Amino acid sequence: MGIILYDAVPSANSERVRIVLEEKHLPYERVTLNLDNGDHKRGEFLKMNPYGKVPVINDGGKIIFESCIINEYLDDKYSYPALMPRDPYLRARGRILIDYALIHIHEPYWTLRAEMRKQEVDRDRIVLVQGRHKLTSLLQYLESALEDQEYFLGKFSLTDIDVWPRLSRLEAYGALQLPTLPRLAGWLTRMKMRPSVQIFADSLRVAEEL
Ligand SMILES: N[C@@H](CCC(=O)N[C@@H](CS)C(=O)NCC(=O)O)C(=O)O
C-alpha cells in the first residue's frame, strides 16, 4: 500500500507535504477533503487526526499529521534525495527558521490574511498598510538568514519547503516588497522555478487562501 495524502485545496499546510512528495518522486494518492462541508470534523477523519485538520498521511497503515512533522518523517524514511543536512547545528538552525516563519510571525500574518480574504472593497486600508509594514519588518530576520546563499541552509532543504507556502502568500498579500527584501525576492524566484512548486502555480487565488 502506497502513501495516501489527505489534503484540501487550497491549503498551505497541505502544499508543504505535496512538495516533499514531489521532490522525492514518491507515488501517492490524494484524498481531497471539502473543508466547507466539514469532512475533516467527522468520525473517520478525527480518528486519524484528533485536531480535525489537513494534511494527514497514511503510509502503509502508519498515520501521521502536522505538516512539518510529516515532512521530517518522509525525509527520515525516504532518504533520497536527502532534504536535511546531517550537521546538527544546521538542522537546528533550519528548525528555528521554520518556527520563526510559522509561529513567530503568525499573529500579524493571520491579521493580514483575514483582511485579504475579504472582498477588495471591504478591506480596511489601515489594517492592510500597518500589517504589510509590520510583516515586511519582521521578514528582515529571514532576509538576513539567507546571507548570500541560494537557499536557507545553503542547499535546498525542508526549511525552504516548510516556509514556502507562507512566504509565497505574503508575497501575494503585498508584504514581501523590494527593495528592502531583495534576497527573499531572489529566493522566491528560485523556488518558483522548481517543478515541485510549479504544481501550485494557479493555486494562489488570494481570496480563497487557507
Ligand atoms: N499545524 C498544522 C495546521 C493544519 C491546518 O491548520 N490545516 C488547515 C488547512 S491549511 C485546516 O485543516 N483547517 C481546517 C480547520 O482548522 O478546521 C499543520 O501544519 O499541519
Side-chain angles (χ1 to χ4, degrees):
M1 189 165 122
I3 297 173
I4 304 173
L5 168 67
Y6 297 84
D7 68 359
V9 179
S11 159
N13 295 294
S14 304
E15 278 180 22
R16 187 173 288 127
V17 172
R18 277 190 76 194
I19 293 172
V20 169
L21 291 166
E22 297 285 333
E23 288 282 344
K24 288 183 179 283
H25 302 291
L26 292 169
Y28 63 101
E29 180 193 325
R30 286 174 68 200
V31 176
T32 299
L33 278 69
N34 184 332
L35 301 186
D36 291 334
N37 284 351
D39 290 354
H40 55 310
K41 302 296 181 195
R42 287 194 242 289
E44 283 311 302
F45 189 77
L46 289 176
K47 270 190 215 157
M48 292 194 292
N49 182 358
Y51 302 161
K53 290 177 188 292
V54 290
V56 170
I57 63 161
N58 178 339
D59 183 14
K62 294 193 170 64
I63 307 293
I64 302 152
F65 51 90
E66 281 299 318
S67 59
C68 295
I69 296 173
I70 296 173
N71 283 351
E72 289 197 2
Y73 165 85
L74 290 172
D75 198 43
D76 286 343
K77 178 153 182 203
Y78 304 99
S79 51
Y80 185 80
L83 291 173
M84 276 304 263
R86 294 312 315 158
D87 176 70
Y89 171 71
L90 279 182
R91 292 169 75 88
R93 182 78 190 133
R95 291 194 183 109
I96 289 169
L97 298 176
I98 295 166
D99 186 77
Y100 186 90
L102 299 189
I103 309 295
H104 189 71
I105 69 171
H106 185 75
E107 204 183 306
Y109 170 78
W110 218 244
T111 305
L112 181 60
R113 174 185 178 274
E115 217 49 44
M116 291 300 291
R117 282 168 61 89
K118 295 179 186 167
Q119 295 293 321
E120 202 165 347
V121 285
D122 296 329
R123 292 179 191 155
D124 183 326
R125 301 288 317 155
I126 295 174
V127 174
L128 288 179
V129 170
Q130 287 178 344
R132 286 178 182 139
H133 183 262
K134 176 155 196 182
L135 282 155
T136 301
S137 141
L138 285 167
L139 288 172
Q140 283 298 336
Y141 182 73
L142 295 179
E143 172 76 10
S144 311
L146 265 172
E147 300 176 356
D148 290 322
Q149 311 176 112
E150 291 205 336
Y151 295 105
F152 282 103
L153 302 182
K155 261 180 75 181
F156 179 70
S157 74
L158 286 188
T159 299
D160 303 290
I161 296 171
D162 287 350
V163 303
W164 159 260
R166 178 155 293 185
L167 293 187
S168 61
R169 281 158 178 78
L170 280 172
E171 183 189 37
Y173 298 164
L176 211 150
Q177 305 281 0
L178 284 169
T180 48
L181 301 168
R183 291 170 177 166
L184 280 177
W187 174 85
L188 280 165
T189 304
R190 282 188 286 284
M191 289 295 288
K192 285 176 193 165
M193 279 159 38
R194 299 191 76 88
S196 62
V197 169
Q198 282 172 358
I199 60 174
F200 304 108
D202 63 351
S203 77
L204 281 175
R205 295 180 301 267
V206 172
E208 296 169 48
E209 289 306 321
L210 280 172

